[in-house]
Amino acid sequence: MLVAVALFALMDAGLKLLSPHYPAMQVATLRGASALPLVLAWSMASVGVRGLLRVHWPLHLLRGVLGVAMMAGFVYGLRTLPLSTVYAITFVAPLLVTAMAVPILREKVGPRRWAAIFVGLIGVLVVLRPTGQGMMTLGGLAILLAAVCYAASAITVRLLAQRDSTQAMVFWLMVILVVGGGALSWHEWMPIQARHGWVIAGIGVVGTLAQVLLTEAFRRGEASMIAPLEYTALVWGVMLDLALWQVLPDGMTWVGAGIIIASGLYMIRRERVRNVEHGQPVEHP
């Protein structure tokens, strides 16, 4: 999981390097196109053609639409915001997943977890600072929209996981990202510069490897123990910001990120306690 998070951070740094040179939707398309051949090879080697075709198409299409919107918003925000600030905002996504699970999946959320969600949203406001000179810009709002789309996509994953393989979910997400993103960006498509070829190839390689490692991490380990390791992305974001763009997050961003992370960790702990109280099985490595 730690390696997967590090590789995803490298992929996001690659997207940020591309974002000033191409439209956001084109960069989202390139992300899918660069990974698609590798994802296809992984899928064919593990589940085969039948595992890719016998799927729940409506939910895959919905997840694909959410994925296109998420990637477009994410890349747009990367153009203007430091990587560390982007991560601080997107850390609210797990809290949004819990909130959305109530009306959509009919899950029960107690007052303590609702309080954690509320506190986490306050953390987002601290980062964005809508009444001050903060990150309440189109870029910041685009990242927040991306987090909402990510949370909604995670809900579809919970439904799809009951019948479809991880390989199918990743493969069709990449396909829809390429087709949908390509169609939406066709009118403003910019020629690919040769010097960016290695960046695009790197995005495909590290993104695919990170996805495989992420899947393996949750297959082998207990979700409530592994999920908090996602917050190490902030460390990678800070180091990459400093190394590539010579910027660091300001104090209020650190405060907001701390609030969001604390809320997320509390949410994970409450989920673990709830499972134990209800006698639900807990996975072990």
Side-chain angles (χ1 to χ4, degrees):
M1 184 63 175
L2 288 172
V3 178
V5 171
L7 291 177
F8 274 127
L10 287 176
M11 183 192 75
D12 293 339
L15 295 174
K16 184 172 176 61
L17 288 171
L18 295 176
S19 63
H21 305 282
Y22 308 98
M25 195 62 73
Q26 181 177 348
V27 175
T29 304
L30 293 173
R31 186 269 183 269
S34 63
L36 188 55
L38 298 173
V39 171
L40 177 60
W42 170 48
S43 301
M44 294 298 291
S46 53
V47 298
V49 176
R50 180 175 296 183
L52 294 181
L53 295 180
R54 299 181 65 178
V55 296
H56 192 275
W57 292 110
L59 279 178
H60 279 284
L61 290 173
L62 174 60
R63 183 167 179 254
V65 171
L66 291 170
V68 171
M70 178 191 71
M71 283 302 304
F74 189 77
V75 173
Y76 183 87
L78 281 175
R79 184 178 299 174
T80 58
L81 299 179
L83 199 58
S84 52
T85 302
V86 168
Y87 285 155
I89 299 172
T90 56
F91 284 158
V92 76
L95 303 176
L96 297 177
V97 171
T98 301
M100 290 181 182
V102 175
I104 299 175
L105 301 180
R106 304 299 182 185
E107 293 185 4
K108 294 183 178 180
V109 175
R112 295 182 181 180
R113 288 198 288 169
W114 278 119
I117 293 171
F118 179 75
V119 172
L121 294 177
I122 292 176
V124 173
L125 291 178
V126 171
V127 177
L128 293 176
R129 279 156 288 170
T131 59
Q133 298 299 317
M135 297 298 174
M136 182 58 84
T137 60
L138 287 178
L141 292 176
I143 295 299
L144 188 57
L145 174 63
V148 173
C149 290
Y150 176 87
S153 178
I155 296 295
T156 67
V157 169
R158 290 192 183 184
L159 297 172
L160 284 169
Q162 300 173 11
R163 61 171 69 189
D164 297 346
S165 67
T166 299
Q167 291 87 338
M169 288 187 281
V170 176
F171 174 75
W172 289 115
L173 177 62
M174 293 298 106
V175 169
I176 297 173
L177 189 58
V178 171
V179 175
L184 293 173
S185 62
W186 187 256
H187 68 285
E188 57 180 356
W189 191 272
M190 301 287 291
I192 306 298
Q193 301 178 34
R195 63 192 178 97
H196 293 145
W198 69 272
V199 179
I200 297 171
I203 287 172
V205 172
V206 299
T208 303
L209 182 57
Q211 186 64 56
V212 174
L213 291 174
L214 182 71
T215 302
E216 187 67 10
F218 279 106
R219 188 181 72 84
R220 288 175 173 266
E222 183 182 334
S224 60
M225 297 297 292
I226 292 172
L229 298 178
E230 291 187 41
Y231 293 123
T232 59
L234 185 60
V235 176
W236 290 107
V238 170
M239 291 193 297
L240 288 168
D241 276 339
L242 186 60
L244 298 177
W245 297 282
Q246 291 76 53
V247 296
L248 284 173
D250 59 18
M252 292 304 292
T253 299
W254 281 112
V255 172
I259 294 173
I260 298 169
I261 291 173
S263 301
L265 292 176
Y266 179 79
M267 183 78 72
I268 293 170
R269 179 181 178 277
R270 286 303 306 169
E271 180 70 18
R272 183 181 177 86
V273 170
R274 188 182 70 88
N275 289 342
V276 172
E277 290 176 347
H278 288 77
Q280 297 182 14
V282 179
E283 298 177 0
H284 293 281

